[in-house]
Amino acid sequence: MGPIQIFSCFLNGATLALYHGSPLGRGFCKFVQDARVSVLGSVPSLVKSWKAGNLTKGLDWTKIRVLATTGEASDIDDNLWLSSRTCYKPIVECCGGTELASSYIQGRLLQPQAFGAFSGPSMSTGFVILDEQGNPYPDDLPCSGEVGLFPLYFGATNRLLNADHDKVYFDGMPIYRGRQLRRHGDIIQRTVGGYYIVQGRADDTMNLGGIKTSSVEIERVCNGADEGLLETAAVSIKPSGGGPEQLAILAVLKDGSTTCDANLLKSKFQRAIQKNLNPLFKVSYVKIVPEFPRTASNKLLRRVLRDQLKQELANRSKL
């Protein structure tokens, strides 16, 4: 968030409004009203919490001119709800990383809004979408694959602390127009209308019955399977004895409890996935948890969930 604060805020003569405390409560939502915030940045999981608790009820957010979101893949219904709090102001999606000094892809206010989608590359950046063989798709073709960044852009890093910069970002990446592409790790989709949807990290991609899919795709479907759900996390588990990957879904309820019939949720998840995603995908395991592990910037740590679940299932098999 440093580049956004310094370049987008201070160098443009704007005032930065900082809240002391958790942004999950109504106190933060009231602060947005009282401070007369005109540009509000958020994270999808925060919006989900505000929506679940109806924390903006009775508050006036009409001073907001534009919204922004980053950190995670957005939920279209949650974005619609957030925009409705501000008399339907646009939401600018932003995706990048610290090593990018900001973002490589974002939304624009110069074209119609598409919730949960990006407009194109950020200023000075460029990218291609790679197929499974590492070949770039044509720029005008609807497709889905791992993103490959052009290596030169404003703020590009050339070293990495405590790791090999070239190995992390460049090894194994294809050559495009005479330059080696830079690895970022996102899977993105280009739609028929020319918008882009980030489908999660490449290491969150799973192979279910020979078909590759992302955790984000499954979570978007499962989040709407039951009204009591706050959010879900989808991970794949490889059986200790070998065999195909198995789909596990972890769920957090709106009331924060764990008292819910996991088998009933499993049936609802299965129906939702078969109807809206792929009839061949099978839900093997469902667990209800009070909360998900997250980074300091509130990103969901699916890797931690995957490791915890593997350990739990391994202990269960020993018994």
Side-chain angles (χ1 to χ4, degrees):
M1 294 295 99
I4 290 180
Q5 293 172 3
I6 294 172
F7 299 115
S8 300
C9 182
F10 296 141
L11 291 184
N12 282 294
T15 299
L16 180 65
L18 295 176
Y19 179 75
H20 181 67
S22 171
L24 292 170
R26 182 174 170 84
F28 175 81
C29 297
K30 189 174 186 302
F31 169 78
V32 172
Q33 168 192 267
D34 297 344
R36 301 169 69 87
V37 169
S38 58
V39 179
L40 177 63
S42 66
V43 177
S45 57
L46 288 179
V47 177
K48 198 174 292 292
S49 295
W50 299 338
K51 178 183 175 184
N54 198 19
L55 301 183
T56 62
K57 183 178 181 180
L59 298 179
D60 181 6
W61 277 16
T62 57
K63 294 296 187 295
I64 295 175
R65 295 184 293 104
V66 63
L67 297 147
T69 181
T70 188
E72 299 171 305
S74 291
D75 181 277
I76 294 175
D77 290 338
D78 289 347
N79 272 10
L80 178 59
W81 176 87
L82 178 63
S83 180
S84 71
R85 305 302 95 184
T86 65
C87 295
Y88 296 97
K89 298 302 193 302
I91 301 176
V92 175
E93 298 275 348
C94 178
C95 181
T98 303
E99 77 281 11
L100 296 178
S102 184
S103 65
Y104 74 91
I105 186 173
Q106 65 183 46
R108 303 191 187 105
L109 300 179
L110 301 178
Q111 65 188 103
Q113 175 79 75
F115 286 132
F118 300 80
S119 303
S122 304
M123 184 181 296
S124 87
T125 69
F127 62 84
V128 293
I129 301 176
L130 305 173
D131 62 21
E132 293 189 3
Q133 287 72 44
N135 301 313
Y137 285 105
D139 292 338
D140 58 350
L141 180 70
C143 58
S144 178
E146 184 171 354
V147 64
L149 301 180
F150 295 174
L152 300 179
Y153 52 85
F154 289 146
T157 58
N158 57 18
R159 67 189 181 95
L160 184 64
L161 294 177
N162 304 319
D164 187 322
H165 184 276
D166 288 334
K167 182 176 181 180
V168 171
Y169 294 121
F170 291 98
D171 275 7
M173 293 297 288
I175 303 296
Y176 181 73
R177 295 181 179 174
R179 292 186 180 274
Q180 190 171 25
L181 294 173
R182 178 180 176 129
R183 179 181 295 106
H184 183 267
D186 279 347
I187 300 292
I188 62 175
Q189 174 191 3
R190 182 164 49 228
T191 69
V192 173
Y195 290 89
Y196 297 86
I197 300 173
V198 173
Q199 298 183 314
R201 304 291 295 173
D203 51 11
D204 285 328
T205 299
M206 58 188 79
N207 189 323
L208 302 176
I211 302 173
K212 285 192 174 182
T213 187
S214 69
S215 297
V216 173
E217 283 184 294
I218 295 175
E219 290 160 6
R220 281 174 173 153
V221 171
C222 290
N223 284 340
D226 188 279
E227 293 182 354
L229 290 169
L230 177 62
E231 57 182 333
T232 60
V235 297
S236 64
I237 303 295
K238 293 183 178 179
S240 57
E245 296 179 36
Q246 296 180 342
L247 173 60
I249 300 175
L250 297 95
V252 174
L253 305 180
K254 288 180 178 179
D255 58 7
S257 70
T258 57
T259 56
C260 181
D261 189 341
N263 288 325
L264 178 60
L265 268 185
K266 181 178 178 181
S267 298
K268 291 184 176 181
F269 290 151
Q270 187 66 68
R271 287 197 297 269
I273 291 173
Q274 289 181 337
K275 179 180 178 181
N276 300 295
L277 198 56
N278 193 311
L280 299 179
F281 292 166
K282 179 183 178 182
V283 180
S284 299
Y285 185 78
V286 169
K287 183 179 181 181
I288 302 167
V289 296
E291 61 182 0
F292 290 147
R294 295 185 179 279
T295 65
S297 59
N298 220 41
K299 293 182 180 179
L300 176 60
L301 289 169
R302 294 185 185 85
R303 173 181 51 80
V304 174
L305 287 173
R306 188 183 299 113
D307 293 343
Q308 291 175 347
L309 197 55
K310 283 182 179 178
Q311 185 63 45
E312 180 180 327
L313 295 179
N315 292 338
R316 183 179 300 182
S317 65
K318 292 177 183 177
L319 294 175

